[in-house]
Amino acid sequence: MQTTISKKPTSLTIWRRWNWLLWLVIVAIVYTWAITGLHFTGLQESAAAVSRSIVHGLVQPDWAYVYNGSGEDLVSLILQTLAIAFLGTIISSLISVPFAFWAARGGKEWLHVRSGSGKVVLTLIRTFPEIVLAIMFIKAVGPGSYAGVLAVSIHSIGMLGKLFSEAIENMDRGADEAITSAGGNSSQIFILATLPTIMPEFISYTLYRFEIAVRSASILGMVGAGGIGTPMIFAIQTRNWPRVGIILLGIVLMVLLIDSLSEQLRKRLI
């Protein structure tokens, strides 16, 4: 005769079943605290009129601003924005390589100390937002595209260096070991095995970073670092909403095109 043994739920089982309720309460408390900390002072009297003007300008953009041959039109400034992002990404990708090998973790104990210091340096570099770097470089070299390139390139060193170092740490060491067993020296291992193995990932990460740099370069112009952001902030300040609409449309199309091309290239590499 079989007897049925009833198991009482343990405290651990109950916790696993109902722990989501605790997290739900915590999230609700945090949201409640954040919302109650806001001081809503009401809408201004001109809010409705300004909102209508914004919507009207966005749906009826200033098509005459697309290209007028002045060098300050939408097409010219979008090309300038792409140039800032491209040059900043290329500079950072080259400078990031030695930082990546510095920060990459090795098998020996002393390499852990070396890689730890490299990771700290890369973290410090990417701590500063691009817009803060742009303001700093504007004070040093003046407003314009040069400051934008410096801001994008310096900030991207921290990001690409981190990604490159992770690619080095996770690379397949089979080719290195094969050349080592055949009697190859360190230079031959690096040129014939290491570089061919990590280069596709390096290029893929660089393309991904270029996508982000295009968005960043579009914003840096708002503080005077060149690109399409400069006329956009001027148009917002003067409430020229049709021009704001055409600039936003141009930025959206530019970002979509760059993202699509970059995705296709990265699929071919990986």
Side-chain angles (χ1 to χ4, degrees):
M1 185 176 68
Q2 294 181 348
T3 58
T4 303
I5 301 175
S6 60
K7 293 183 178 180
K8 295 182 179 180
T10 62
S11 58
L12 181 61
T13 304
I14 296 175
W15 165 252
R16 288 177 178 177
R17 183 179 301 176
W18 298 102
N19 62 353
W20 62 270
L21 186 59
L22 175 62
W23 291 111
L24 181 63
V25 172
I26 293 175
V27 171
I29 293 173
V30 171
Y31 269 91
T32 303
W33 170 77
I35 293 174
T36 53
L38 297 176
H39 300 286
F40 182 68
T41 57
L43 298 174
Q44 297 184 0
E45 296 180 358
S46 60
V50 172
S51 300
R52 286 194 297 268
S53 300
I54 293 174
V55 173
H56 182 268
L58 294 178
V59 298
Q60 294 186 355
D62 182 11
W63 296 106
Y65 184 68
V66 174
Y67 183 78
N68 52 29
S70 64
E72 298 294 331
D73 50 71
L74 180 65
V75 173
S76 301
L77 291 174
I78 280 182
L79 291 176
Q80 185 182 104
T81 302
L82 291 174
I84 293 172
F86 180 79
L87 187 56
T89 304
I90 292 298
I91 293 174
S92 64
S93 64
L94 296 176
I95 300 177
S96 296
V97 174
F99 280 95
F101 281 97
W102 178 14
R105 186 179 296 275
K108 300 179 180 179
E109 184 176 354
W110 69 270
L111 290 179
H112 293 313
V113 178
R114 183 215 63 190
S115 65
S117 62
K119 292 181 186 299
V120 169
V121 171
L122 291 176
T123 301
L124 291 175
I125 292 175
R126 66 175 181 270
T127 297
F128 296 94
E130 288 166 323
I131 195 165
V132 174
L133 291 173
I135 294 173
M136 295 169 60
F137 284 124
I138 287 172
K139 298 297 182 181
V141 302
S145 303
Y146 189 35
V149 171
L150 290 175
V152 172
S153 59
I154 296 300
H155 182 76
S156 297
I157 290 173
M159 298 301 298
L160 284 178
K162 178 180 183 296
L163 296 174
F164 287 178
S165 65
E166 291 176 354
I168 295 171
E169 292 173 353
N170 298 325
M171 65 175 288
D172 185 4
R173 302 287 178 176
D176 290 14
E177 296 172 355
I179 295 179
T180 301
S181 62
N185 55 35
S186 300
S187 299
Q188 292 172 332
I189 294 173
F190 180 75
I191 295 174
L192 299 177
T194 303
L195 277 183
T197 302
I198 62 178
M199 192 56 65
E201 285 198 67
F202 276 20
I203 297 175
S204 177
Y205 285 138
T206 302
L207 290 172
Y208 174 70
R209 184 60 199 172
F210 176 63
E211 297 176 17
I212 301 175
V214 170
R215 299 179 180 88
S216 300
S218 302
I219 302 300
L220 294 181
M222 290 187 172
V223 296
I228 194 62
T230 302
M232 183 166 65
I233 191 63
F234 288 156
I236 292 174
Q237 290 174 347
T238 58
R239 297 187 179 184
N240 189 350
W241 303 119
R243 179 156 299 184
V244 173
I246 193 64
I247 291 174
L248 290 177
L249 181 61
I251 292 175
V252 169
L253 293 177
M254 174 184 65
V255 171
L256 289 176
L257 179 61
I258 294 300
D259 286 1
S260 178
L261 291 176
S262 177
E263 183 180 0
Q264 295 300 320
L265 290 174
R266 284 189 282 113
K267 285 181 178 179
R268 294 178 181 271
L269 289 170
I270 302 300

